[in-house]
């Protein structure tokens, strides 16, 4: 009974490189959310996706960040040309439908360090 | 305005005592959900308890209870009989049905003292 799976758990990149973070939602869940947690802060919403659709990307930076949730395979959060300020924990969460009343199920997070 | 406010950056409690973690929220939507999550040092986010805006009773889950005061827009988490394993960050969150996101507070770091 696997929960939300994120990989890699830890990723180190140099400035200017690309970071790809993957998220496999819980079985039966078709809604995926990405959150970013900066050190000593709470979680900030980035993007909400359903299979093959971006529903809400109001929290995504306009440049360098993109997300997808293809028909087959995990959801990917991609950060191009990383900068030091991108260092953070990136959490993926899933729900079976729009989480209007139910909780989000979180993965263990991917910790990105930009040198 | 902040959607969720947690005013206690850090709290200490003696083992076996009860502790209250404060949370206030801001919304004009009559329908919303309130959540508490625990984040231990290992980093994962663990769901603890949920309160719906129309729920008449305060939510309880084992040693966790939510002191829901709708008029004051507060949703404090009460942990009874604290255990050493309760030491963690605690986040209050809110979900509005008109949006697609959860709003999180900045968290409270709880330390349980033996």
């Amino acid at each position: 009974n696997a929960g939300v799976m994120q990989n890699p758990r830890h990723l180190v990149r140099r400035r200017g490189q690309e970071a790809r973070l993957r998220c496999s939602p819980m079985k039966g869940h078709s809604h995926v959310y990405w959150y970013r947690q900066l050190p000593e802060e709470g979680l900030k919403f980035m993007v909400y996706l359903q299979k093959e659709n971006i529903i809400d990307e109001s929290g995504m930076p306009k440049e360098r960040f993109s997300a997808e949730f293809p028909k087959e395979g995990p959801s990917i959060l991609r950060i191009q040309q990383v900068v030091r300020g991108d260092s953070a924990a990136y959490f993926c969460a899933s729900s079976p439908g729009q989480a209007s009343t139910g909780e989000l199920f979180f993965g263990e997070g991917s910790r990105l360090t930009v040198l | 305005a902040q959607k969720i406010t947690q005013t206690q950056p850090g709290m200490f409690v003696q083992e076996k005592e009860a502790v209250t973690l404060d949370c206030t929220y801001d919304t004009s939507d009559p329908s919303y959900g309130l959540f508490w999550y625990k984040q231990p040092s290992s980093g994962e986010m663990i769901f603890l308890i949920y309160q719906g805006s129309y729920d008449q009773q305060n939510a309880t889950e084992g040693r966790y209870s939510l002191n829901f005061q709708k008029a004051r827009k507060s949703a404090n988490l009460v942990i009874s009989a604290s255990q050493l394993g309760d030491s963690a960050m605690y986040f209050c969150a809110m979900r509005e049905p008109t949006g697609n996101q959860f709003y999180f507070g900045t968290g409270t770091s709880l330390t349980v003292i033996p």
Side-chain angles (χ1 to χ4, degrees):
Chain A
N1 186 20
V4 177
M5 303 299 292
Q6 289 188 248
N7 68 83
R9 292 289 310 279
H10 300 275
L11 182 64
V12 179
R13 285 287 179 265
R14 296 191 180 279
R15 280 179 296 171
Q17 292 185 317
E18 178 180 288
R20 281 189 182 225
L21 309 177
R22 287 175 291 278
C23 170
S24 295
M26 283 183 72
K27 189 175 181 180
H29 287 191
S30 58
H31 297 243
V32 165
Y33 302 74
W34 283 95
Y35 283 80
R36 176 164 63 176
Q37 184 179 29
L38 295 171
E40 310 299 324
E41 293 188 13
L43 278 72
K44 295 285 196 292
F45 169 78
M46 298 182 76
V47 62
Y48 161 50
L49 311 103
Q50 295 178 26
K51 284 283 187 181
E52 301 185 276
N53 285 306
I54 296 174
I55 307 302
D56 182 351
E57 55 181 350
S58 58
M60 286 276 272
K62 294 286 184 274
E63 298 177 348
R64 303 187 297 107
F65 284 72
S66 62
E68 63 177 10
F69 190 15
K71 188 176 179 181
E72 301 290 337
S75 175
I76 306 283
L77 179 67
R78 182 183 177 203
I79 312 171
Q80 296 178 286
Q81 299 174 335
V82 296
V83 300
R84 288 219 175 105
D86 298 333
S87 295
Y90 292 84
F91 285 91
C92 172
S94 73
S95 71
Q98 270 196 286
S100 58
T101 56
E103 78 269 23
L104 293 180
F105 296 84
F106 281 87
E108 294 184 322
S110 291
R111 279 147 187 84
L112 172 65
T113 301
V114 180
L115 302 177
Chain B
Q2 291 290 330
K3 287 281 189 180
I4 294 285
T5 302
Q6 293 181 253
T7 57
Q8 306 156 313
M11 290 283 286
F12 291 86
V13 64
Q14 204 74 39
E15 194 178 6
K16 299 180 185 177
E17 297 290 313
V19 64
T20 298
L21 307 183
D22 294 341
C23 172
T24 57
Y25 59 92
D26 181 32
T27 181
S28 56
D29 200 314
S31 177
Y32 50 88
L34 297 160
F35 304 79
W36 277 92
Y37 284 83
K38 172 184 178 181
Q39 187 178 41
S41 57
S42 51
E44 69 268 35
M45 294 288 286
I46 303 167
F47 166 75
L48 295 179
I49 197 167
Y50 162 79
Q51 179 85 43
S53 61
Y54 293 121
D55 293 344
Q56 296 295 318
Q57 308 270 0
N58 284 347
T60 60
E61 288 286 348
R63 294 185 299 110
Y64 304 109
S65 60
L66 201 151
N67 184 0
F68 181 43
Q69 298 191 36
K70 197 169 181 177
R72 295 184 180 180
K73 292 189 175 178
S74 76
N76 298 340
L77 176 70
V78 180
I79 305 174
S80 61
S82 297
Q83 301 171 357
L84 295 178
D86 294 335
S87 294
M89 284 290 289
Y90 289 81
F91 291 97
C92 180
M94 178 176 67
R95 168 78 164 96
E96 295 169 327
T98 51
N100 295 311
Q101 51 176 292
F102 274 43
Y103 299 95
F104 283 86
T106 51
T108 296
S109 175
L110 177 67
T111 302
V112 180
I113 304 166

